Amino acid sequence: MPVISAPHAFNESRLYVDLQPILGRRLYLKCEGFNFAGSIKLKAATEMVESAEREGHLTPASILVESSSGNLGVALSVIAASKGYRFLCVTDSRCNLSTRLLMEALGSEVHIVADLDANGGFLGKRIEYVRRLCAADSRYVWLSQYTNPGNWRAHYRTTAPEIAGEFPGLDVLFIGAGTTGTLMGCARYFRQWHRPVRIVAVDVVGSVAFGGPPGRRMIPGLGMSMRPPLLDESYVDEVIRVEEADTIRTCHRLARRGFLFGGSTGTVVSGAMDWLDRHDTRGLTAVAIAPDLGERYLDTIYQANWLQDLYGDDILDSEEATVASRRRQIISRVTDRQRNS
């Protein structure tokens, strides 16, 4: 029976979902959302905070500050609350409402950046705000997930060995690319392993992480509006870019079978299925990493009006569209009753 005294001391690391009955391809999905932060970001957050403590950068008077689209902000909120630090998360308007409310419930402050950077994203403006804050007040300590080696080191020490221990015959690993901490940590580990493992990075169309033109991205989590400083492409065998529409369809397809995953997971699974459809998979052992669960996306990718406004009526297939339509009608009836009461 696990007994813990700090929330970051617990993380379920041995849960995998066999997606073959749902998607028709043999793919094992490593679920990283079963911890008190609800995502894989708890690993990186723990490593970066504890490294800063060991190196003397954090003191009782320090105020943690970080730029995050959501999941790392929640993870740092959990750790800051546990350790007694103040924490300010600098995010943007794409951050899910439930995520912002969760950070505030944990005692964190949230600052929302509204201006776009030169690449049409918010990241540059978020980082600019953090730098100004740190320059003006020495109490602020920026962990900088984009450049901090603790980001990838966390996955070199935990995520990759966990997969290797369960799948000694692993052939291909699919990893979502944001800051590329998970990608680089796992890729470095498997480069040194006893057998070759193909590392496939899954990015979002509109992200410039691996080059290409910037574009609109509405789902937080994966993708970057700048090249990730942690990225070393020599460790990556292949890059797949996924349209957000495919991310949404994959999330809804999994939800129809009872698995409610987040947008990052939908992107990774969609990219992995595309790759598996194009290759001979006989005898192949394939694993994908699911960074998060879906509860924080209920007001976005699982909300019919949000989907329609951004992607149009045809975003879902016929079965999913019918379910979304029924949900929309129910919400409309409830709203009418409230208005008339």
Side-chain angles (χ1 to χ4, degrees):
M1 176 179 68
V3 177
I4 62 172
S5 57
H8 53 281
F10 170 77
N11 187 60
E12 174 54 62
S13 63
R14 298 187 63 185
L15 180 62
Y16 293 79
V17 176
D18 180 359
L19 293 179
Q20 187 165 20
I22 303 172
L23 301 178
R25 291 290 184 185
R26 188 182 176 201
L27 177 66
Y28 297 102
L29 188 62
K30 187 180 196 303
C31 299
E32 288 282 351
F34 291 97
N35 56 56
F36 285 97
S39 82
I40 197 171
K41 289 292 188 178
L42 184 62
K43 291 177 173 178
T46 301
E47 177 73 23
M48 291 190 294
V49 168
E50 292 182 349
S51 292
E53 289 175 330
R54 288 193 300 268
E55 294 163 7
H57 300 311
L58 279 174
T59 69
S62 296
I63 304 172
L64 283 167
V65 60
E66 186 57 87
S67 160
S68 170
S69 61
N71 281 340
L72 184 72
V74 173
L76 286 173
S77 294
V78 168
I79 294 171
S82 173
K83 290 176 173 284
Y85 294 117
R86 289 175 59 189
F87 171 55
L88 169 63
C89 180
V90 180
T91 187
D92 58 67
S93 55
R94 294 178 308 171
C95 180
N96 298 321
L97 174 61
S98 57
T99 299
R100 299 201 300 266
L101 294 175
L102 178 54
M103 287 189 281
E104 290 171 347
L106 290 164
S108 299
E109 298 177 64
V110 180
H111 177 82
I112 301 172
V113 170
D115 296 331
L116 296 173
D117 59 28
N119 284 324
F122 294 98
L123 180 56
K125 293 295 184 180
R126 289 188 345 220
I127 292 176
E128 183 181 306
Y129 182 87
V130 172
R131 284 176 172 156
R132 286 202 310 267
L133 202 63
C134 292
D137 190 335
S138 62
R139 293 177 301 164
Y140 285 97
V141 176
W142 181 25
L143 296 175
S144 184
Q145 62 167 323
Y146 312 105
T147 60
N148 194 323
N151 190 347
W152 67 259
R153 198 163 51 231
H155 303 287
Y156 182 90
R157 291 176 175 174
T158 61
T159 309
E162 289 162 5
I163 295 170
E166 300 296 331
F167 296 92
L170 181 66
D171 295 301
V172 57
L173 179 61
F174 300 96
I175 311 169
T179 64
T180 67
T182 308
L183 175 65
M184 287 294 95
C186 291
R188 282 186 166 92
Y189 180 90
F190 283 109
R191 177 66 62 88
Q192 301 166 358
W193 209 34
H194 67 90
R195 68 192 305 275
V197 174
R198 188 166 189 82
I199 301 296
V200 180
V202 183
D203 199 10
V204 185
V205 171
S207 165
V208 302
F210 294 90
R216 185 188 77 163
R217 292 181 293 114
M218 299 305 299
I219 302 173
L222 301 184
M224 292 274 279
S225 56
M226 69 178 190
R227 180 178 173 84
L230 295 177
L231 176 61
D232 182 344
E233 289 190 62
S234 68
Y235 287 95
V236 180
D237 296 300
E238 193 172 346
V239 179
I240 294 176
R241 292 176 174 85
V242 175
E243 295 276 2
E244 285 191 333
D246 292 325
T247 292
I248 292 164
R249 293 185 187 106
T250 299
C251 285
H252 280 259
R253 189 174 177 185
L254 292 170
R256 296 288 76 77
R257 299 295 294 271
F259 291 105
L260 194 73
F261 284 109
S264 297
T265 298
T267 300
V268 174
V269 173
S270 178
M273 296 307 298
D274 175 68
W275 190 94
L276 293 170
D277 285 342
R278 294 183 285 105
H279 291 79
D280 182 2
T281 60
R282 288 173 294 182
L284 192 77
T285 298
V287 171
I289 297 175
D292 55 2
L293 301 178
E295 290 90 342
R296 294 171 197 165
Y297 297 80
L298 293 177
D299 57 348
T300 54
I301 62 175
Y302 293 107
Q303 212 283 327
N305 291 332
W306 188 88
L307 292 177
Q308 274 194 320
D309 290 345
L310 290 174
Y311 302 97
D313 294 334
D314 300 328
I315 182 64
L316 302 178
D317 63 30
S318 57
E319 179 184 354
E320 291 159 353
T322 298
V323 173
S325 176
R326 288 172 182 164
R327 188 184 304 122
R328 188 165 58 252
Q329 291 168 9
I330 292 169
I331 292 172
S332 177
R333 287 198 295 269
V334 171
T335 304
D336 289 340
R337 289 195 201 102
Q338 291 172 339
R339 190 181 297 117
N340 296 328
S341 62

